[in-house]
Structures are given as C-alpha cells and as structure tokens.
Amino acid sequence: MSILIPLALVAVFGLAFGSFLNVCISRIPEGDSVVVPGSRCPRCGHAIRWRDNIPVLSYLLLGGRCRDCKQSISRIYPLVEILTSAMLALAYWRYRLSPEFIKAALVLMLLIVLTFTDLRTRRLPHKITIFGIAAGLILSLFVPVDARPLGWLLARWGFAASGPLLSLAGSLGGALMGGGLFYAVGEIFYFVGRRRKEYLEKKYPGEEFQAKEYLGFGDVMLMLMIGTFFGIPLTFETILLGSLGGTLVALPLSVADSRFKDYAWPYGTFLGAAGIFVSLGGDLLLERYLHWTGLG
Ligand SMILES: [Zn+2]
C-alpha cells in the first residue's frame, strides 16, 4: 500500500494532537487542568464553539481573531498545530508503524510543549519533565537506546549487559550525563554570579545587584529527560546543536537589535528544537560524523 494514505492520516491526527499540546502549553505552567474547563478565549474568557476550534482552519476562517471579543489570537496556536503535524508525519515517514515511531512521537510532543512553555513563560514544568523521564526509562526497555560508550565500559569491567538491560543502562547514562553536566555548569554559573554580585556591591556600596540565574533547575530536568530517550552520544549531540543554534540566533540579534540587548534567552527552547531534530535524524548525522572522522 502506498505510504501516502497513512502519512496523511498521521498528519491529520498530528493537527489534533497539536491542538491538545496548545492547551498543555498555555495551562500547565499556570498549574491549571488540561481537561476542564473546555477551550476559552484567553482574553475575554468566552467558551470557544466547536466549529471555531478546528486546528489551523478555524484560525484562518476567523482571520486570527476571537469571534466574541475580536482580539487577535496568538500565532503560536496554528504554528504548534502545523509543527506537531509535520514532525509526526516525518517520524512516520522515517520509522513507519513501529515501536520506534511511538517513542519518537512521544518525545517530539514532549519537546514541542517544553520548547514553547520556555519561550512563552521561561518555564519547563516539572510535571512534564518528570513524566518524560519516567516514559524515557520505561520505553528504553522496548526500543533500544544507544548505550555507547557504557556497554564497552561495562564489558571491560566484566559486566556483559545486553538487550533491554544494556538499553536501560544507556538511557540512565544519557540522563546522568545530560542532567549532570547542566547541574555542574549551573553550579559554576551560580558561584560566579554570586561572586560578581559581592564584588559589585563592595565596589559600589549602598547599591543592590542581582545574581543572574543563567541555568535553572528546569534545564537540568529537561536534560535528564532528553538523556533517558537518547542515551549518551545523542544527548551530547543535542547539547552541541542547541548551544550552537542558541549562539547563532542570540549573538547577532543581541548585537543588531536593541530590543534584544537585555533579553533573557530561553535556553530550553534551543535545546528543545535541537532535540526535535535529533529525534528525527540525529543518529544519521552522528554516524556520518563518526565515519568522516574515522571513529566509527
Ligand atoms: Zn475573546
């Protein structure tokens, strides 16, 4: 059978899932339920009619405005719906109907939610990351996680792990590497920030200075989650790509546009975007890189 029919189905379901992710993005950081009440206009509080709640289409038909108060609806809503649909379709195209697809679809949706909660509210809610960490660990028993270089180390120490156990070790290793690295860097930044604050307050007596927080605990939790899904090599790739992407976007904008001079860049958004890429094709990029450098 042609792949086009299931692919179109996945894309349509993707729009509906994207609609649900919008509810998660706007409600979970506020601590609200994602089930009740039904969708409401965030500006006038009017319940949204079912025919105005069709993904993307309703946004276009309404001209991007609420039917009741006529105020504009954030473009993030249709964007998240289209993004979810496109990413799930790409995952299906690569993995077909398989456990790999289920796992990729889940991590993609978790990362889309976290990318946008960090962008909109600078929050990476623990509710989402803790659920993700548990899901990543459990799924590692069914879909193999890249256990390099742990499998090799374990074998050297006389523990010849294989199958689901080796995969679980890879998942735990990825979480410890990703979360541990961010925790350590966060502690260093915290220490440097405190020192800077003390120094400035000694230099300018009577003035107060803020110790900026560059890496929050939300970022540590996000990396724990990414680690459980990806294992060590791909978690490392996500950190590299996220940091590179963040630098390439933030640096020129901070210099060129005065509005971004003191902008608090959401690191989680860049890590999330990198994770979305890695879950779709990060392994192919890694193998190509290892082959090119002669390492694998
Ligand atoms: Zn309204």
Side-chain angles (χ1 to χ4, degrees):
M1 189 175 68
S2 157
I3 188 187
L4 285 177
I5 295 162
L7 204 56
L9 271 174
V10 169
V12 170
F13 275 107
L15 288 173
F17 276 114
S19 193
F20 175 66
L21 299 190
N22 273 322
V23 177
C24 296
I25 291 163
S26 58
R27 291 190 187 176
I28 293 177
E30 312 298 328
D32 296 337
S33 162
V34 295
V35 186
V36 282
S39 302
R40 279 162 199 286
C41 167
R43 307 213 194 242
C44 66
H46 238 282
I48 295 170
R49 298 156 188 80
W50 70 266
R51 61 189 164 102
D52 291 342
N53 211 4
I54 300 161
V56 185
L57 200 66
S58 290
Y59 180 87
L60 294 174
L61 288 175
L62 289 166
R65 289 177 188 282
C66 168
R67 186 184 291 278
D68 297 297
C69 67
K70 307 288 179 223
Q71 296 205 64
S72 65
I73 304 165
S74 170
R75 265 179 233 165
I76 288 182
Y77 291 97
L79 179 70
V80 165
E81 285 156 0
I82 293 169
L83 186 70
T84 308
S85 168
M87 295 304 111
L88 293 191
L90 274 175
Y92 186 85
W93 183 61
R94 174 146 186 223
Y95 300 112
R96 303 299 158 100
L97 194 57
S98 63
E100 281 82 2
F101 168 67
I102 306 287
K103 178 175 166 169
L106 182 66
V107 73
L108 281 167
M109 291 196 283
L110 286 165
L111 288 172
I112 289 172
V113 171
L114 292 165
T115 294
F116 284 95
T117 58
D118 201 30
L119 182 67
R120 291 185 67 170
T121 61
R122 296 296 180 281
R123 281 190 202 157
L124 297 163
H126 295 333
K127 251 187 197 170
I128 304 169
T129 46
I130 289 171
F131 170 78
I133 291 164
L137 287 172
I138 294 167
L139 281 170
S140 76
L141 298 171
F142 303 96
V143 181
V145 172
D146 187 343
R148 290 174 294 177
L150 267 182
W152 179 79
L153 272 177
L154 287 173
R156 266 191 74 115
W157 294 332
F159 302 101
S162 63
L165 215 55
L166 181 64
S167 176
L168 181 65
S171 173
L172 280 169
L176 290 178
M177 199 278 286
L181 192 65
F182 270 60
Y183 184 73
V185 173
E187 286 291 298
I188 293 168
F189 276 146
Y190 180 72
F191 179 76
V192 172
R194 283 284 297 274
R195 275 300 175 86
R196 177 180 162 275
K197 175 179 148 81
E198 285 167 15
Y199 167 79
L200 287 171
E201 281 174 354
K202 204 170 271 178
K203 198 173 171 190
Y204 304 100
E207 281 188 59
E208 286 243 2
F209 291 90
Q210 292 279 321
K212 276 193 194 171
E213 201 183 324
Y214 293 97
L215 271 183
F217 200 65
D219 295 295
V220 175
M221 295 293 283
L222 171 65
M223 288 317 302
L224 278 170
M225 183 192 105
I226 286 178
T228 62
F229 278 93
F230 289 174
I232 291 176
L234 292 181
T235 301
F236 201 62
E237 186 183 319
T238 308
I239 296 172
L240 283 180
L241 292 176
S243 307
L244 184 69
T247 311
L248 287 178
V249 172
L251 206 61
L253 276 177
S254 309
V255 174
D257 193 331
S258 59
R259 279 178 302 169
F260 289 108
K261 207 170 148 270
D262 283 315
Y263 184 70
W265 292 93
Y267 198 4
T269 298
F270 291 108
L271 290 169
I276 289 169
F277 168 78
V278 170
S279 55
L280 288 168
D283 53 335
L284 303 177
L285 180 67
L286 178 71
E287 292 320 317
R288 190 160 280 200
Y289 174 78
L290 291 177
H291 186 75
W292 178 67
T293 54
L295 289 168

